[in-house]
Amino acid sequence: MSIMIVTSLGEMIVDLYVDKCPLTFKNFLKLCKMNYYNGCLFHTVQKDFIAQTGDPTGTGTGGDSVYKFLYGEQARFFGDEIRVDLKHLKTGTIAMASAGKNLNASQFYMTLCDDLDYLDGKHTVFGEVAEGFETLTRINEAYVNEKNRPYKNIRIKHTYIVDDPFDDPDTQLSDFVPEASPEDEMQLEDDWVPLDERLAPQELDEVLRAKDAYSSAVVLETIGDIPLAEIKLGTTSVLTDYTTQTIFCLCIESF
């Protein structure tokens, strides 16, 4: 399953491991659906290592799992779903940035280089970037201070879900959506305009589904089921028009 994440540097498509880590997948999916990540800063970017985000406070010490909103404060964190077959082998691997063993909440990171095997067995890997690697490159090249915080704010602007396989809970999660990350007077803001402000609803839906179909075709091409994703789908021009760049940043910090 794919989700589009729009950042102040562009858009990217991420594929999530639905069956391999269901707790983590559901947490991320529902937080995206309740717009929890909208406005979150990439509070840390470590060049050729990882980029971390997902904390509405923008400090790197906050964030709650969706299970807290459903079951109360005692469920703020949820357990690890570490698998030996899910490793930090390639750029764009997505994993939870936990505060310790079985202390996962909302923060996550994306790898900015290949072969970070020393992170294996420590953090739950739950997805990968399928499209938008040029965005990862831009994040990786961001100017940062001595604390690895970008001088110019990089934010998640919006998340778009193509299909949600889970029923929504009776609780209205939208009521718990936090305010946007606090402004930092020393930081420069971006001027990115989200897709939903540039496209009509029908156009947006067509773009999202085209991107999801293309992502699936790339997977099939990789394993040899079809010769070329672009030939099979004929969506390359659409993707080029609307895909600029996206990124997720930041180092693994304790909450």
Side-chain angles (χ1 to χ4, degrees):
M1 176 184 169
S2 299
I3 290 179
M4 175 187 282
I5 302 176
V6 179
T7 75
S8 52
L9 294 182
E11 302 100 28
M12 68 171 24
I13 296 291
V14 300
D15 286 344
L16 304 178
Y17 306 143
V18 182
D19 299 324
K20 294 185 177 182
C21 36
L23 274 178
T24 309
F25 167 73
K26 185 174 183 179
N27 177 70
F28 186 75
L29 179 72
K30 292 304 183 181
L31 288 179
C32 286
K33 193 165 188 177
M34 63 188 279
N35 297 328
Y36 187 86
Y37 290 125
N38 292 8
C40 284
L41 292 168
F42 295 102
H43 53 80
T44 310
V45 175
Q46 289 184 298
K47 186 174 177 61
D48 297 330
F49 184 43
I50 62 172
Q52 187 172 322
T53 185
D55 173 13
T57 72
T59 63
T61 61
D64 301 309
S65 76
V66 73
Y67 304 112
K68 173 187 173 180
F69 302 112
L70 295 175
Y71 309 120
E73 182 64 36
Q74 75 279 2
R76 178 190 176 190
F77 300 107
F78 64 95
D80 297 326
E81 293 180 300
I82 296 173
R83 295 173 55 106
V84 296
D85 59 328
L86 297 179
K87 301 180 181 296
H88 297 76
L89 293 176
K90 55 186 179 180
T91 301
T93 297
I94 306 172
M96 295 301 296
S98 62
K101 186 176 181 180
N102 296 316
L103 293 176
N104 303 286
S106 64
Q107 292 196 48
F108 63 96
Y109 63 86
M110 291 184 168
T111 59
L112 300 175
C113 66
D114 298 335
D115 299 321
L116 294 176
D117 56 343
Y118 50 88
L119 294 177
D120 294 342
K122 300 176 182 177
H123 302 275
T124 299
V125 174
F126 67 95
E128 62 183 88
V129 174
E131 190 180 334
F133 286 95
E134 67 279 6
T135 297
L136 286 177
T137 299
R138 287 189 177 183
I139 289 185
N140 192 40
E141 295 175 350
Y143 289 103
V144 299
N145 62 20
E146 67 281 0
K147 295 182 179 180
N148 295 310
R149 184 182 182 91
Y151 282 109
K152 182 174 182 179
N153 285 335
I154 305 172
R155 294 184 186 273
I156 294 177
K157 292 292 189 176
H158 214 301
T159 53
Y160 298 98
I161 300 170
V162 177
D163 180 48
D164 184 351
F166 297 108
D167 292 333
D168 287 327
D170 294 333
T171 304
Q172 293 299 312
L173 293 179
S174 58
D175 294 340
F176 298 102
V177 177
E179 295 181 0
S181 300
E183 300 297 329
D184 186 336
E185 294 181 358
M186 300 302 294
Q187 299 295 113
L188 297 174
E189 278 298 329
D190 57 76
D191 57 0
W192 181 260
V193 180
L195 273 181
D196 57 348
E197 295 180 15
R198 288 188 276 148
L199 303 177
Q202 183 176 356
E203 292 177 307
L204 177 60
D205 183 68
E206 290 175 356
V207 170
L208 293 179
R209 294 190 179 280
K211 284 179 175 287
D212 187 50
Y214 180 78
S215 176
S216 299
V218 169
V219 174
L220 293 176
E221 176 189 340
T222 301
I223 63 177
D225 282 3
I226 58 177
L228 287 175
E230 290 87 350
I231 294 175
K232 202 71 176 179
L233 291 170
T235 57
T236 305
S237 62
V238 175
L239 300 178
T240 302
D241 289 341
Y242 291 106
T243 301
T244 49
Q245 299 169 326
T246 312
I247 226 157
F248 288 83
C249 319
L250 292 45
C251 69
I252 308 172
E253 298 179 352
S254 297
F255 289 100

